Amino acid sequence: MVITMGALVATLTLMMMAVAALGVLSMVVQDTRERVHDLGILKALGMTPKQTIAMVLTSVTLTGLIAGLIGVPLGVAVEKATLNPMGNAIGRHLPPSVSHVYTAGLLIPLLAGGIVIALLGALLPASWAARTRTSTALRTE
């Protein structure tokens, strides 16, 4: 039973990470397309492709941190509110090894997960912005 629950949780976690990364990708693509003229000006002034990638990735880091700071406590609260009632509904008492799994050593990487998801979702638009030719970007309005 515990192995099945662990597999289900892992699958759902991966699916939620994919959805979050796609949401970040969509947001950053839209933001990058709106700022393409500004990026063209910066490139004309000498910004390198690596600096362009760093600028786009830096723009999502704060959003990822805020998402982690909000999402982790909210996720822990929802888990605590639903796990025991779900176990009771099927007539099972869940052991503490299943219901009390959050330690400080686990919460820190979970908080960093928001930043990682934001950076992964922003990599594709950042590389697109770095590859855009300066002349093309300057003609875009």
Side-chain angles (χ1 to χ4, degrees):
M1 181 75 160
V2 173
I3 294 172
T4 303
M5 287 177 59
L8 180 62
V9 168
T11 303
L12 291 173
T13 301
L14 290 174
M15 290 173 60
M16 290 301 293
M17 286 177 58
V19 168
L22 288 172
V24 171
L25 172 71
S26 173
M27 178 190 71
V28 176
V29 164
Q30 182 179 359
D31 184 52
T32 304
R33 286 185 187 254
E34 288 175 0
R35 296 186 313 163
V36 72
H37 185 75
D38 299 337
L39 288 170
I41 292 170
L42 292 172
K43 289 177 117 183
L45 293 173
M47 182 178 262
T48 66
K50 287 183 182 182
Q51 290 171 331
T52 305
I53 291 173
M55 183 185 75
V56 173
L57 293 180
T58 302
S59 71
V60 299
T61 303
L62 180 63
T63 305
L65 177 63
I66 292 170
L69 290 173
I70 293 170
V72 170
L74 186 63
V76 170
V78 168
E79 188 264 343
K80 287 186 185 283
T82 59
L83 190 62
N84 285 330
M86 285 180 10
N88 294 337
I90 62 169
R92 303 264 183 194
H93 176 70
L94 298 175
S97 64
V98 173
S99 60
H100 301 293
V101 295
Y102 295 108
T103 62
L106 182 62
L107 290 176
I108 302 295
L110 287 175
L111 287 171
I115 297 171
V116 170
I117 291 171
L119 292 175
L120 288 175
L123 275 176
L124 187 63
S127 62
W128 171 78
R131 284 193 317 263
T132 302
R133 294 179 44 161
T134 305
S135 59
T136 305
L138 287 173
R139 276 188 249 130
T140 306
E141 283 294 324

